[in-house]
Amino acid sequence: MSSVVVVGAQWGDEGKGKIVDWLCHRADVVVRFQGGHNAGHTLVVGNQTYKLALLPSGLVQGKLSIIGNGVVVDPWHLVGEIEKLRAQGVTITPDKLVLADNACLILPLHRDLDVAREAAAGAARIGTTGRGIGPAYEDKVGRRAVRVADLSDEATLEWKISRLLTHHNSLRRGLELPEVDATALKRELLEVAPKVLPYAQVAWRVLEQQRRDSKKILFEGAQGMLLDVDHGTYPFVTSSNVVAGQAAAGSGLGPNAINYVLGLVKAYTTRVGEGPFPTELFDDVGKKLGEIGREVGVNTGRARRCGWFDAVLVRQSVALSGIDGVALTKLDVLDGFPEIKLCIGYKLGDRELDYLPSGVKEQAAVVPVYETMPGWTESTHGVRTSRDLPANAIKYIRRIEELISCPAALVSTSPERDDVILMRDPFRG
């Protein structure tokens, strides 16, 4: 039995959707364990493109797919995403999709609060997607959230809504938003309940049985580790833990069930929204990376900020998540660059740092120290074996391995599903 956790090792958008889809060939079960529908995954299979946000990528291949308790779920978005995939020919039934009955829900009031607070923050905004993810997690830890299981009991639902609105209506008054009508919210939830409850199960028991049956389990992370609420560039982060350890807590399986951690990294660096970005490029090179890499958010449509590969941050992610191997994506975007830079350290005033400090002021002030390598003119697009890579591309990969103290397990050379170079099989360790 082997279980693999896939986590982003940068600021998200590293190509997890494609890599998870590719690894699904070797897996029996795919599990989402944190985040919400704020992280988009794009899968390109032949002439068909699938855009997922909440559903596990395994559904496209007919694998048992589980939305774990660590995920916050917008029930209306879930229904819409299911319907969209079905329209593309994907079969989705309760036998294939399991929704943890103890997962917390994202409600319209969460979206309202998310947008209103960002607008009120002005220059102090942190760049949320406005989808209610953060406020939903706040209610979860505040012990006032509505959970999936509550949809099956009208009396419990009414009590939960009353408790929730005691908190939210006070906030809304302060933000000059109209108060939420409890009866209307209850009616909306009862209307969507029959479309959601067929998928609700005790997810940890399902997973435990799969583990006992020696099934291969793939844990699919969302966002990236630099957005982790504890270890990321706080407060410009997401509202959940993104580190590999969250795969256990967010699914209900113990940490001893995890055998391998695969960290995803782009061959360069991108970021969406506000926050520090030491290697960000504001010149034609940054613009070119964005254009070639088509760096636009799947869900938000926001342009991504682009910069050179930051080995300091990735090395930090490797340590924090216990990453065993990395999947290097979008190598082909660097084709044709005469030279490529790698950030190998930081300077902060007179100090030299080999990590990103925690303070907001210090994070914004670090200056990258670069190492320059020759680029390559040959195309790597669609290459599937390492022997077909240009010599300088191989040198670039090897140098990254040295700098982050972690081997490359996979290299992706295009958005297409099968354009992957396998160097080490994560399911074999």
Side-chain angles (χ1 to χ4, degrees):
M1 190 277 295
S2 182
S3 296
V4 175
V5 178
V6 176
V7 293
Q10 295 164 316
W11 277 292
D13 308 308
E14 302 96 349
K16 290 181 290 297
K18 170 190 169 168
I19 297 300
V20 169
D21 180 55
W22 189 85
L23 287 170
C24 277
H25 290 292
R26 294 160 168 77
D28 302 299
V29 186
V30 181
V31 187
R32 276 285 310 273
F33 59 87
Q34 49 79 220
H37 63 300
N38 53 340
H41 289 177
T42 300
L43 312 181
V44 181
V45 184
N47 296 323
Q48 187 73 274
T49 298
Y50 303 94
K51 294 188 177 182
L52 308 178
L54 183 59
L55 294 173
S57 301
L59 277 172
V60 174
Q61 292 193 37
K63 303 290 184 176
L64 174 60
S65 299
I66 297 174
I67 299 174
N69 58 274
V71 179
V72 285
V73 179
D74 182 321
W76 297 277
H77 180 92
L78 175 63
V79 171
E81 197 169 322
I82 289 172
E83 291 174 349
K84 185 178 179 180
L85 274 192
R86 280 179 174 157
Q88 291 184 279
V90 178
T91 300
I92 302 177
T93 66
D95 291 332
K96 290 296 182 183
L97 176 63
V98 172
L99 171 62
D101 64 354
N102 57 339
C104 295
L105 299 181
I106 299 173
L107 307 178
L109 55 84
H110 294 126
R111 295 193 296 272
D112 293 344
L113 182 59
D114 208 354
V115 172
R117 288 197 304 205
E118 276 286 88
R125 66 186 181 276
I126 59 173
T128 77
T129 59
R131 301 197 172 201
I133 312 298
Y137 273 115
E138 290 174 34
D139 284 341
K140 176 179 179 176
V141 298
R143 297 169 292 179
R144 54 182 171 265
V146 177
R147 304 205 294 182
V148 172
D150 299 329
L151 297 177
S152 63
D153 182 356
E154 186 172 345
T156 297
L157 183 60
E158 187 171 331
W159 174 71
K160 284 287 193 77
I161 290 173
S162 175
R163 177 176 166 80
L164 182 66
L165 294 189
T166 298
H167 174 77
H168 274 271
N169 280 336
S170 296
L171 289 177
R172 294 173 75 91
R173 287 191 294 271
L175 290 165
E176 299 182 347
L177 294 173
E179 293 189 13
V180 175
D181 182 83
T183 301
L185 178 56
K186 176 184 169 184
R187 182 175 62 250
E188 292 173 13
L189 285 168
L190 290 176
E191 286 174 355
V192 78
K195 300 177 182 179
V196 172
L197 287 174
Y199 304 100
Q201 295 187 49
V202 183
W204 69 265
R205 292 191 66 193
V206 175
L207 271 172
E208 174 62 13
Q209 188 58 54
Q210 293 294 314
R211 189 185 71 83
R212 289 183 180 277
D213 291 342
S214 299
K215 300 295 184 181
K216 293 181 178 179
I217 303 172
L218 184 61
F219 296 90
E220 177 182 8
Q223 291 95 29
M225 282 192 51
L226 300 177
L227 295 175
D228 184 276
V229 70
D230 285 310
H231 301 290
T233 50
Y234 191 91
F236 305 97
V237 294
T238 193
S239 297
S240 60
N241 284 114
V242 185
V243 292
Q246 179 62 20
S251 67
L253 276 184
N256 62 340
I258 298 170
N259 305 109
Y260 190 97
V261 178
L262 179 69
L264 266 73
V265 293
K266 279 179 180 170
Y268 48 103
T269 310
T270 62
R271 175 166 198 168
V272 171
E274 308 298 324
F277 185 170
T279 65
E280 184 172 8
L281 296 171
F282 301 95
D283 56 11
D284 289 341
V285 173
K287 184 178 179 181
K288 184 177 179 181
L289 284 172
E291 290 173 350
I292 298 173
R294 298 178 182 178
E295 296 297 351
V296 178
V298 175
N299 278 331
T300 63
R302 294 186 293 181
R304 298 176 186 134
R305 301 152 62 188
C306 297
W308 293 119
F309 187 89
D310 191 331
V312 178
L313 290 179
V314 174
R315 183 170 61 244
Q316 195 162 313
S317 293
V318 166
L320 289 168
S321 261
I323 293 173
D324 297 294
V326 296
L328 185 69
T329 65
K330 290 199 168 184
L331 181 68
D332 55 305
V333 172
L334 296 180
D335 293 352
F337 282 84
E339 62 179 28
I340 300 168
K341 293 185 178 181
L342 288 158
C343 174
I344 59 173
Y346 298 140
K347 282 189 176 180
L348 183 61
D350 296 332
R351 298 161 56 198
E352 293 184 359
L353 300 178
D354 61 356
Y355 67 95
L356 185 68
S358 298
V360 173
K361 186 176 180 179
E362 290 181 320
Q363 287 181 351
V366 296
V367 176
V369 177
Y370 286 116
E371 174 180 294
T372 301
M373 297 187 67
W376 54 89
T377 57
E378 308 95 319
S379 174
T380 64
H381 187 85
V383 170
R384 298 182 183 180
T385 61
S386 57
R387 64 176 177 272
D388 292 329
L389 287 174
N392 282 348
I394 293 176
K395 290 178 182 177
Y396 182 66
I397 295 169
R398 296 298 177 231
R399 183 56 178 149
I400 286 175
E401 291 179 317
E402 292 173 0
L403 290 170
I404 67 174
S405 301
C406 187
L410 305 170
V411 177
S412 172
T413 56
S414 94
E416 295 291 333
R417 170 195 275 175
D418 296 324
D419 290 342
V420 174
I421 301 170
L422 176 63
M423 295 183 170
R424 295 170 180 82
D425 189 343
F427 278 109
R428 293 183 179 177

